[in-house]
Amino acid sequence: MHDRTRPNSDRPASSQGLSSQEARRRYALYGPNQLPESTGESPLLIFLHQFNSPFIYVLLAAALVSLILNQQLNAVFILFVLLINASIGTVQEYSAQRAAVALNKMVPQYASVLRDGITQKVEAAELVPGDIVFLITGDRVAADLRLIECHDLLVDESLLTGESLAASKQSGVCSGDDSPLAERKDCAFAGTIVTHGRALGEVIATGVRSEIGQIAAEVTESDHIKPPLLKRIERFTLRISYGILVVIALLFVITLLRGADLQEVFLLGVALAVSAIPEGLPAAITVALAIGMRRMARASVIVRRLIAVESLGSCTYIASDKTGTLTVNEMTVKLIILPDERRYSVSGEGLDMHGELHCLSGGERALLPPDADKDLANLVRCGMLANEASLVLHQGEWVASGDGVDLAFLVLSSKLGFDHQQVEHLYPELQRIPYESENAFSASLNRVEGKLIIHVKGSAEKVLMMCRRDPVRPEPWEVRIEHQMLAMARKGFRVLACASGEVDVGNTDLLAVLKGLHFLGLIGMIDPLRPEAYAAVEQCRLSNIDVAMITGDHPQTALALAQELNIADAGSVPVTGDDVRRAIERDETLQEQGKPSTAMQTLVNSSRVFARIEPSQKLQIVQQLIRNGHFVAVTGDGVNDAPALRHAHVGIAMGKRGTDVARESAELIITDDNFASIVQGIKQGRLVYSNIRKVIFLLISTGAAEITLFILSVVFMLPIPLFPIQLLWLNLVTNGIQDVALAFEPEEGDELRRPPRPPKETIFNRLMLERVFVNAVVMGGLAFTVFAWQLHNGVAVETARNMTLLLMVLFENVHVLNSRSETKSIFKQNFFGNPFLLFGMLAAQSVHIAALYTPGLSDVLQVEPVTLESWSTSLSVALVLIVVDELHKLYWEKRKPLFTQCRTGDDRPPTG
Ligand code: ADP
Ligand code: MG
């Protein structure tokens, strides 16, 4: 179901568009309608970027110092490890970039074209010169077009001309091909945006031959923006680096004052710099985000900006569209009420043309022949004419294109036996007001038996207003019809009304004739709720995420559906667009009087159902929600939704229904338009965040453990417990294999059951700090004890270092197991849940053991083989870490209620 126009009836009937055969021929001739792709950063550039980091500077300095101290081996090893590190980073970043490009391709741009006489949706890349293309509000024009027909077309051409005001277009005015773009009123250019109206145009240039193709180089350049999370973490590591430099300086002074050898002290500084700096962090985080991106794509959520992976996870409020997101967007007319309150029911579902009409008067259902009721026929004809959809039989199949409401009217007319193409032909359209959601109606001026008749269909209130004769006192029939309308809306029907009226010849201002019309009747449509939506809303309730519905539909219709879904309860009162307008006015006057303005704040908190909301008001609601402290995700599909999408913390556009503009304004695109996918996306977002925390915990706590080990050694005046080269080995090789594996951790299962994390919470919250402290002190303390104990027993210092290094490798092996969950005991986790991690542990052990036996390497690392006995003794020491961390987890679980502050939710209306 795509919001597209039908071919207008006053276009020459001969125009069938290209035949698909001809289109194929031209495609072979002209090639795809595409601009050369932006290739992104080259691998070489990415590689060079890897060295542009403060950690790397410190390590390079360390290599330099080693050289000066005549420790060539050390220097070479540092450089070697840096190269490996940079290569891994390059591969990861490059593949993340590729993945992002591939994901963008999953949401191709479509164009609505006329081919073989029918309107169809094709990928914009398949357009060829000569194609007849339809434009509608919200489209990004797919190729250069000469306009054949225009209805109030406004196009934003700022991309080409720099002019920010939308240009008005007209067909038929002749402008030379060499006049400036801004003056070519009869053309719409590729890349520009339709902000209003409808049009029909013929493709005159595609791909690189289009105007934008000529300047493509400037436009396709995509800017490379780092996700804020990454920036935050980089800033944080920078701070750590400074801190470490201070510690190093202190130790340096202390040891020098004690009269230690200068070379030894330098080595110590290098070693500390190496151990404490979390070199692997940026790479691991990029990987975690990229994995999240891929997992989300599998859940039909396409991430346009990497940051959204994380931000979707912290969302506390989802403001969702109704039509198409919570419902299936397949509207079927079920009930008709004529002005004299004769009622008809209609059977059949969706686009199925089979259905019967029953008269419901007198409690009796009578099957009705289509032509039995003239009033009914008038009503249906009106809905058929004020209509932009197309529904044609093509090779034995119905091909539908257009808005769901419009299609429902066409299906209804078929059920009554009308041939709508014949009707359109019989009553030619002279002018029209296309449906725009801020108007909530559409109209068409047709010639009917020599007279000019305007046909209107739209929201019942709007149409009734157009029929009203006495502006103050409604007539009795109006009151009755309003009752009927409300009764239908309360049952969840989307209620539309139709009206028509004669227009004087010569009266061309269509808006001016929309009064004193003749009321034709009410139409009740059902758009079923998506079956998955129930569970998804329940899921949100369990995760403490508020769900609200924002719709242009009638408050009672919205309420009925919201109640059905448990978004609202029986006592809920919907907030309407009028309420919003009044609250904002009230706040303005209060502000002028210098009083606190809280009308809007209270209003937005008072309900989860927002109805008859104009697109521009959506932004106001979102802004207020943000001011109220929510982390807001908003869905949208129309052009007018773009500001709300941009302002929300997470803008979510609909892949199928959404306009190009909405999709370009959003961070996320839901390819199946389904509310349930958003919830899946949130789960993945939370998972990414918790995996990032796991990686950070692992890296920071081992770094801190190494520092602890060194500080203790200095305090107790022992020699340096590990050489810089050994620390590098530990951090970059054995540990490096494992930290990235943590980014692949599967869900712990309760991702959606936790409350959203407070939007302002930092990664280093209390839990993280405690765990880092406990684990680092135990790891560092035990390693020091083993080192000191050996020296005490007269073991050679080289051997003691060898054992300490082995112990650290083993520590890190068990430590990754601790890192898999912040709160869950490792005995409650699926040990085989993350094959990467198991592989990482095995690999780390094997690599280390191999190093002990590899001649050249063991010399560089100054290690030697150990007996199985000392290996298992070390392992049992390492296992102590698990016991300690398990105890801390238990302890945390006990105290948890003190620290996890749930939002009290006083402002939250009870749901369900
Ligand atoms: P939603 O938030 O459900 O998408 P819309 O903004 O699309 O709501 O529609 C608002 C109102 O406009 C509807 O309640 C209906 O009365 C009217 N309307 C919707 N579609 C059409 C259409 N194609 N033609 C005329 N009126 C329409
Ligand atoms: Mg709509």
Side-chain angles (χ1 to χ4, degrees):
M1 223 81 18
H2 339 292
D3 302 60
R4 298 291 167 184
T5 55
R6 74 187 150 89
N8 196 352
S9 41
D10 55 21
R11 207 164 27 75
S14 64
S15 179
Q16 298 272 305
L18 299 178
S19 67
S20 25
Q21 211 178 357
E22 176 62 14
R24 268 197 300 276
R25 197 186 66 79
R26 294 193 187 190
Y27 186 82
L29 191 64
Y30 292 101
N33 175 32
Q34 267 169 347
L35 297 180
E37 240 173 70
S38 116
T39 41
E41 255 173 78
S42 71
L44 180 65
L45 215 58
I46 298 180
F47 181 75
L48 291 178
H49 272 317
Q50 306 295 318
F51 291 93
N52 183 14
S53 128
F55 326 136
I56 307 295
Y57 300 156
V58 176
L59 291 182
L60 282 173
L64 201 68
V65 169
S66 310
L67 266 186
I68 294 170
L69 294 178
N70 225 359
Q71 299 261 339
Q72 276 86 354
L73 210 59
N74 221 3
V76 168
F77 186 78
I78 293 182
L79 289 178
F80 180 69
V81 170
L82 280 184
L83 274 183
I84 294 205
N85 202 37
S87 313
I88 294 175
T90 308
V91 170
Q92 281 161 349
E93 229 175 84
Y94 187 68
S95 71
Q97 183 181 303
R98 294 275 90 188
V101 172
L103 284 183
N104 270 332
K105 284 210 183 109
M106 280 175 71
V107 265
Q109 193 194 342
Y110 288 97
S112 193
V113 312
L114 185 68
R115 281 193 191 160
D116 300 319
I118 55 171
T119 313
Q120 32 186 296
K121 211 172 164 185
V122 303
E123 278 192 28
E126 290 169 20
L127 288 185
V128 292
D131 261 330
I132 306 289
V133 175
F134 299 98
L135 295 180
I136 187 167
T137 321
D139 277 353
R140 189 176 274 283
V141 180
D144 287 0
L145 307 176
R146 167 146 298 121
L147 298 168
I148 304 171
E149 195 187 305
C150 280
H151 292 275
D152 303 326
L153 189 69
L154 289 178
V155 179
D156 174 356
E157 294 186 323
S158 50
L159 183 70
L160 286 174
T161 61
E163 170 60 56
S164 58
L165 270 187
S168 145
K169 296 284 177 179
Q170 260 170 328
S171 56
V173 288
C174 210
S175 63
D177 280 356
D178 38 359
S179 46
L181 291 186
E183 283 165 31
R184 285 165 61 185
K185 289 229 160 284
D186 63 334
C187 289
F189 299 104
T192 61
I193 291 168
V194 179
T195 56
H196 187 86
R198 309 282 191 271
L200 190 62
E202 182 182 340
V203 175
I204 50 177
T206 58
V208 283
R209 278 173 292 271
S210 64
E211 292 295 336
I212 194 160
Q214 317 277 337
I215 53 167
E218 293 155 42
V219 189
T220 47
E221 209 60 65
S222 70
D223 42 356
H224 184 76
I225 312 169
K226 269 191 190 165
L229 175 72
L230 208 55
K231 277 197 236 159
R232 248 188 358 243
I233 285 171
E234 279 182 0
R235 232 176 298 138
F236 150 80
T237 26
L238 198 59
R239 245 179 291 145
I240 292 199
S241 309
Y242 290 142
I244 292 164
L245 288 181
V246 171
V247 174
I248 291 177
L250 269 178
L251 290 177
F252 190 83
V253 173
I254 295 174
T255 35
L256 260 193
L257 286 181
R258 281 181 184 164
D261 174 31
L262 187 68
Q263 177 159 342
E264 176 101 343
V265 179
F266 261 122
L267 268 186
L268 177 70
V270 171
L272 276 179
V274 167
S275 60
I277 294 173
E279 299 90 357
L281 200 50
I285 287 172
T286 312
V287 172
L289 288 173
I291 293 169
M293 202 161 164
R294 235 167 290 151
R295 286 187 181 162
M296 280 187 178
R298 247 177 273 144
S300 303
V301 182
I302 305 292
V303 181
R304 294 196 53 240
R305 297 178 201 143
L306 211 48
I307 171 57
V309 174
E310 182 228 349
S311 47
L312 188 60
S314 37
C315 123
T316 63
Y317 196 109
I318 309 176
S320 172
D321 279 337
K322 171 175 75 71
T323 309
T325 307
L326 292 168
T327 69
V328 295
N329 197 22
E330 272 170 28
M331 268 161 275
T332 316
V333 176
K334 291 280 184 185
L335 191 63
I336 301 173
I337 301 186
L338 295 179
D340 61 2
E341 293 182 69
R342 250 177 301 149
R343 299 155 68 90
Y344 289 99
S345 77
V346 189
S347 64
E349 297 297 331
L351 290 181
D352 181 7
M353 304 296 154
H354 305 286
E356 285 162 351
L357 218 64
H358 290 93
C359 185
L360 293 182
S361 37
E364 203 181 303
R365 305 173 111 242
L367 193 61
L368 190 93
D371 52 354
D373 190 326
K374 214 162 174 307
D375 296 338
L376 181 65
N378 271 337
L379 169 68
V380 174
R381 196 182 61 196
C382 176
M384 208 178 348
L385 289 172
N387 199 308
E388 292 184 275
S390 99
L391 188 62
V392 286
L393 201 56
H394 183 68
Q395 294 169 351
E397 264 185 68
W398 287 99
V399 182
S401 80
D403 180 73
V405 168
D406 286 5
L407 280 171
F409 271 100
L410 295 188
V411 172
L412 173 69
S413 66
S414 289
K415 285 178 185 166
L416 261 81
F418 283 107
D419 176 344
H420 56 263
Q421 278 161 317
Q422 202 182 351
V423 172
E424 282 163 17
H425 199 68
L426 213 59
Y427 308 114
E429 181 176 89
L430 305 173
Q431 237 178 309
R432 84 165 96 137
I433 304 174
Y435 169 74
E436 304 274 358
S437 63
E438 63 265 33
N439 292 340
F441 74 90
S442 66
S444 163
L445 182 68
N446 309 75
R447 193 186 301 283
V448 179
E449 288 147 14
K451 289 187 258 183
L452 294 187
I453 306 283
I454 181 123
H455 296 96
V456 182
K457 80 168 197 313
S459 84
E461 302 103 291
K462 269 266 159 87
V463 173
L464 276 173
M465 283 303 283
M466 297 175 188
C467 298
R468 174 163 282 188
R469 271 152 239 273
D470 183 343
V472 204
R473 211 157 30 91
E475 292 168 46
W477 72 267
E478 284 178 63
V479 178
R480 282 201 311 274
I481 286 293
E482 249 161 50
H483 274 301
Q484 297 279 14
M485 189 251 287
L486 275 179
M488 279 161 92
R490 283 202 191 98
K491 291 196 190 115
F493 282 100
R494 166 176 275 222
V495 190
L496 277 90
C498 289
S500 66
E502 195 175 339
V503 177
D504 293 336
V505 182
N507 199 342
T508 49
D509 183 3
L510 270 199
L511 285 174
V513 301
L514 292 175
K515 51 177 180 264
L517 299 183
H518 176 62
F519 183 72
L520 294 175
L522 294 175
I523 304 268
M525 304 183 176
I526 286 293
D527 178 10
L529 289 167
R530 285 180 181 272
E532 325 79 291
Y534 296 84
V537 170
E538 174 64 11
Q539 196 58 265
C540 290
R541 206 179 58 77
L542 292 176
S543 345
N544 261 315
I545 300 171
D546 291 325
V547 179
M549 174 193 278
I550 302 188
T551 174
D553 213 339
H554 192 280
Q556 292 307 326
T557 311
L559 185 63
L561 296 180
Q563 284 168 344
E564 168 93 36
L565 280 175
N566 249 334
I567 291 176
D569 65 7
S572 298
V573 181
V575 167
T576 67
D578 287 335
D579 297 337
V580 171
R581 191 171 308 113
R582 275 195 297 271
I584 286 178
E585 277 165 16
R586 183 152 168 68
D587 277 345
E588 276 165 9
T589 33
L590 282 173
Q591 217 158 23
E592 277 163 26
Q593 296 164 356
K595 292 180 193 156
S597 47
T598 54
M600 190 61 183
Q601 184 187 345
T602 323
L603 183 74
V604 165
N605 275 340
S606 71
S607 183
R608 294 289 175 263
V609 183
F610 301 86
R612 287 288 185 242
I613 297 294
E614 286 170 20
S616 59
Q617 293 175 325
K618 205 164 172 173
L619 173 63
Q620 295 169 327
I621 296 172
V622 167
Q623 285 172 325
Q624 187 58 52
L625 285 170
I626 291 175
R627 260 174 278 159
N628 289 2
H630 286 290
F631 198 91
V632 187
V634 166
T635 71
D637 51 9
V639 219
N640 301 319
D641 290 336
L645 289 176
R646 279 198 215 103
H647 260 87
H649 293 109
V650 192
I652 305 174
M654 298 301 145
K656 282 195 192 159
R657 210 162 19 92
T659 55
D660 299 334
V661 177
R663 289 195 275 159
E664 285 163 23
S665 311
E667 273 110 19
L668 294 176
I669 297 170
I670 306 291
T671 52
D672 59 359
D673 292 12
N674 190 342
F675 181 79
S677 304
I678 302 177
V679 181
Q680 283 311 308
I682 290 182
K683 183 163 146 186
Q684 290 304 331
R686 290 184 174 190
L687 178 60
V688 165
Y689 185 76
S690 71
N691 282 355
I692 288 177
R693 282 181 66 102
K694 292 170 194 171
V695 175
I696 290 180
F697 168 68
L698 178 72
L699 290 176
I700 300 295
S701 52
T702 47
E706 285 157 11
I707 292 245
T708 311
L709 169 63
F710 273 80
I711 291 181
L712 288 174
S713 306
V714 168
V715 169
F716 289 94
M717 303 218 243
L718 297 185
I720 164 170
L722 290 172
F723 282 124
I725 210 167
Q726 293 171 324
L727 280 169
L728 270 178
W729 172 257
L730 198 55
N731 287 2
L732 293 178
V733 183
T734 62
N735 212 14
I737 304 175
Q738 299 175 45
D739 57 13
V740 171
L742 269 184
F744 287 90
E745 271 296 298
E747 50 215 71
E748 285 179 42
D750 59 348
E751 274 75 14
L752 278 179
R753 260 173 282 138
R754 299 176 195 157
R757 84 188 125 92
K760 292 209 181 76
E761 185 191 89
T762 59
I763 287 186
F764 279 83
N765 58 359
R766 171 139 197 154
L767 177 59
M768 179 73 98
L769 289 174
E770 272 186 26
R771 298 195 69 219
V772 167
F773 181 79
V774 169
N775 281 277
V777 165
V778 171
M779 234 189 300
L782 282 177
F784 171 75
T785 313
V786 165
F787 182 61
W789 186 74
Q790 289 183 91
L791 292 183
H792 182 77
N793 286 343
V795 175
V797 65
E798 289 77 26
T799 315
R801 282 196 188 111
N802 183 39
M803 286 308 295
T804 312
L805 181 60
L806 176 69
L807 178 63
M808 287 306 286
V809 171
L810 287 168
F811 261 142
E812 291 185 349
N813 262 311
V814 301
H815 196 42
V816 281
L817 293 178
N818 283 346
S819 309
R820 289 188 66 197
S821 172
E822 296 193 80
T823 48
K824 218 157 135 187
S825 157
I826 62 168
F827 302 108
K828 288 189 187 147
Q829 297 164 13
N830 175 5
F831 184 73
F832 300 100
N834 183 357
F836 293 99
L837 198 76
L838 292 181
F839 170 78
M841 287 169 61
L842 267 179
Q845 270 310 305
S846 326
V847 165
H848 188 69
I849 292 173
L852 303 184
Y853 290 95
T854 312
L857 192 56
S858 62
D859 296 339
V860 174
L861 287 174
Q862 311 193 25
V863 289
E864 58 199 15
V866 294
T867 60
L868 191 61
E869 196 195 326
S870 23
W871 188 85
S872 29
T873 318
S874 295
L875 182 62
S876 28
V877 174
L879 287 174
V880 172
L881 192 62
I882 291 195
V883 179
V884 171
D885 194 56
E886 285 293 310
L887 286 176
H888 178 258
K889 278 175 182 165
L890 268 178
Y891 178 57
W892 177 263
E893 194 62 29
K894 285 241 171 64
R895 284 177 321 152
K896 194 168 69 177
L898 292 176
F899 294 111
T900 43
Q901 35 153 265
C902 281
R903 282 173 308 126
T904 45
D906 291 337
D907 55 17
R908 189 185 146 93
T911 47

